[in-house]
Amino acid sequence: MLPAPLVDRLRTQLGHLPELITLAHLALAPGSGRRGARVSGATRTAPLPCNPGTLSLIGPTATATVHDEYGDQDDTPGLDLLAGWARTVLEDRQTANDWTAWSRPAGHHWERTVSVAVKLLLFHLDWAATRPYARDMADEIGQLHGHLNRATGFPIAPTARRLIVCPGCDLMTATVRPDTKRECGSCGLILTAEEYAARVEQTLAELAAA
């Protein structure tokens, strides 16, 4: 099972991917490569046919972050990976006879697009985070997110999360979850906002009495 901070990070990365993949797709357009150095007057070397950094996202030169088991990968960077994980999660939930597996987010379900794959993954993310393959899914999507960030030249960084002191282990390793609970990434302690405030007051009182 993925810890809450990793689930939050994966949710953020999935939210970024449609825009990142659009930018990467544009980087594959003819003439989108960087121009060479100035030679003379207004003459420059001819542009490369595309951004070389993006080439490793598709086709036979794809890195390990992109699966092409059947050799039918198209020219949309990362689509096979996302569609593959969406299919895995959906089939797993259907096999578990979970009625939620038959609920789909709005959209054209028959279309094989990045937006549909991302919607499905986000819709079933809490379930997927509890499955044995959750870590592999998070790692592969995280690698794709990082690769796209580098390849497009327009990085979208995950929002920085402010760390707070954990009253359990006294380390600066706790964060505030979207549900307002405080969770420590070190010792795993989870407190509500009220419980955390009470622990803080208790600690301050002990320090004042010392």
Side-chain angles (χ1 to χ4, degrees), residues 95-181:
T95 301
N97 201 26
D98 186 330
W99 68 268
T100 311
W102 306 103
S103 300
R104 305 287 188 89
H108 301 294
H109 310 316
W110 60 88
E111 290 185 355
R112 186 176 180 276
T113 64
V114 169
S115 62
V116 168
V118 167
K119 282 180 182 178
L120 281 169
L121 286 169
L122 287 172
F123 186 76
H124 297 286
L125 185 57
D126 290 335
W127 157 271
T130 67
R131 309 306 289 166
Y133 50 77
R135 178 72 64 169
D136 290 338
M137 180 181 69
D139 288 346
E140 290 193 7
I141 290 175
Q143 290 168 14
L144 176 64
H145 182 273
H147 195 168
L148 287 166
N149 254 332
R150 293 187 297 272
T152 59
F154 296 94
I156 301 178
T159 303
R161 304 189 69 194
R162 186 173 65 88
L163 295 176
I164 57 178
V165 177
C166 170
C169 60
D170 295 328
L171 298 176
M172 188 77 78
T173 50
T175 57
V176 180
R177 297 183 351 186
D179 61 3
T180 73
K181 289 185 178 180

